[in-house]
Amino acid sequence: MYPILSKPPVVVALAQLKFKIPNFKVDSILEYDKLLKNHLPLRHSNIQVGIDFGKTTFPLGESKVSGVSNAEVGSHLYISTNQKTKFEITSEAVTYIDENPYKGWEQFKSDALQMLEIISPLFMSAEMLRVSIRFVNRFTFPDFNDPKQYFNTLITSLDGCSSYPLHQYGFRLMMDVPDTDIYTIVNHNVENVPQNKYIYTFDIDVLDKQKLLFDIDTIGESLENLRNIKNKIFFETITEKTKQLCNSQE
């Protein structure tokens, strides 16, 4: 349905599931620690600390104060040895992030669902509040005097609008998908970097707010639907010249 690019511009691919489980404990994921570490061997835990000082007052200068602290684990983050792949769980969301060179949708989807499958027994009674994907694409252009060469969606043409060289340019779009609970957040940003190159970041976030009971197959179907919307936005936005840059041989 969409062309396959030989050099996909994806620098970050992310899939996230937001859920609702009353009194969910983040540490419950440690039951599957060994299985998760078979894929992502490093684990970092984030500790959240709340401190209650009661009616203590704070005079100017140095002084001793007393309070009650409440520390708990806020999240567990599993990381690959090259630091490029991450799997994080908090009390309300599970997120899979891949910053490796993009190997295609099927590989990304399979890897994300594989990690989710490992901990799926924790979510059998969970309500899914949102499923989302986010793809951050990055292009390098030799110049950006005429944005219409590269993109169809623009706020305005920059050609002839200023007497000074462009340093940074960006805008944000939020769009609803008709007759669904899906919406998108699309960010465009370009920045002039040394050697007079322009780095263009095209960031597409697609989110489905439909509430469903947890099920791996259902999540897979939702991810496919979100991917189709993401692709539609991507390929309708870039020009043929930009596609050629993604297929050029160096």
Side-chain angles (χ1 to χ4, degrees), residues 22-39:
N23 303 314
F24 180 77
K25 299 296 183 184
V26 175
D27 271 349
S28 59
I29 198 176
L30 296 180
E31 182 179 349
Y32 306 94
D33 188 68
K34 181 179 287 188
L35 292 174
L36 292 169
K37 284 183 175 178
N38 285 338
H39 299 275

Side-chain angles (χ1 to χ4, degrees), residues 4 6 14 33 50 53 56 87 89 99 102 115 121 140 149 152 163 169 194 214 216 235 240 242 245 249:
I4 302 297
S6 61
L14 178 152
D33 188 68
F53 292 103
T56 301
F87 185 66
I89 183 166
E99 299 176 33
Y102 189 58
M115 298 301 292
T140 301
Q149 292 185 65
N152 298 316
S163 302
Y169 164 79
F214 179 91
I216 290 291
F235 285 105
E240 285 300 322
T242 304
L245 290 173
Q249 300 297 320

Side-chain angles (χ1 to χ4, degrees), residues 17-246:
L17 169 65
K18 295 203 74 172
F19 60 86
K20 182 179 180 181
I21 302 178
N23 303 314
F24 180 77
K25 299 296 183 184
V26 175
D27 271 349
S28 59
I29 198 176
L30 296 180
E31 182 179 349
Y32 306 94
D33 188 68
K34 181 179 287 188
L35 292 174
L36 292 169
K37 284 183 175 178
N38 285 338
H39 299 275
L40 302 175
L42 307 177
R43 173 168 58 81
H44 294 169
S45 299
N46 177 44
I47 307 299
Q48 296 178 336
V49 180
I51 301 178
D52 181 6
F53 292 103
K55 296 182 179 179
T56 301
T57 59
F58 297 90
L60 294 175
E62 277 192 24
S63 62
K64 290 185 178 181
V65 297
S66 62
V68 178
S69 67
N70 179 25
E72 60 181 2
V73 176
S75 66
H76 289 300
L77 179 67
Y78 289 84
I79 311 171
S80 61
T81 53
N82 69 356
Q83 309 285 313
K84 296 288 188 179
T85 308
K86 303 177 181 72
F87 185 66
E88 182 180 40
I89 183 166
T90 70
S91 61
E92 60 182 23
V94 179
T95 309
Y96 179 80
I97 307 167
D98 192 353
E99 299 176 33
N100 289 291
Y102 189 58
K103 297 178 181 178
W105 169 256
E106 292 302 328
Q107 184 67 58
F108 171 75
K109 175 188 169 187
S110 174
D111 291 343
L113 290 179
Q114 182 180 52
M115 298 301 292
L116 194 55
E117 181 100 49
I118 291 173
I119 61 172
S120 60
L122 297 176
F123 299 96
M124 287 309 172
S125 60
E127 181 184 22
M128 296 186 293
L129 303 180
R130 192 180 75 193
V131 179
S132 63
I133 62 172
R134 182 177 181 182
F135 277 67
V136 180
N137 305 279
R138 191 156 292 148
F139 305 90
T140 301
F141 299 132
D143 65 73
F144 204 70
N145 293 326
D146 183 6
K148 296 190 300 296
Q149 292 185 65
Y150 305 109
F151 296 98
N152 298 316
T153 300
L154 303 165
I155 295 298
T156 182
S157 171
L158 300 183
D159 189 24
C161 289
S162 175
S163 302
Y164 303 105
L166 175 71
H167 177 67
Q168 192 170 17
Y169 164 79
F171 59 94
R172 184 185 194 196
L173 302 171
M174 293 187 67
M175 300 172 285
D176 293 324
V177 179
D179 303 318
T180 72
D181 293 310
I182 299 172
Y183 66 102
T184 70
I185 303 171
V186 182
N187 285 288
H188 293 252
N189 186 274
V190 65
E191 185 172 5
N192 185 214
V193 296
Q195 288 83 48
N196 282 329
K197 292 181 180 179
Y198 291 86
I199 304 300
Y200 199 106
T201 302
F202 181 24
D203 181 351
I204 307 172
D205 202 355
V206 190
L207 311 97
D208 188 351
K209 297 183 294 182
Q210 184 179 17
K211 293 178 174 61
L212 298 167
L213 291 179
F214 179 91
D215 178 75
I216 290 291
D217 290 337
T218 300
I219 295 170
E221 292 171 4
S222 180
L223 292 176
E224 284 289 342
N225 189 33
L226 297 178
R227 183 242 184 169
N228 288 333
I229 295 168
K230 182 269 297 182
N231 274 358
K232 183 176 177 63
I233 293 170
F234 179 86
F235 285 105
E236 286 182 351
T237 299
I238 65 173
T239 64
E240 285 300 322
K241 181 172 183 175
T242 304
K243 291 178 191 175
Q244 291 170 12
L245 290 173
C246 294

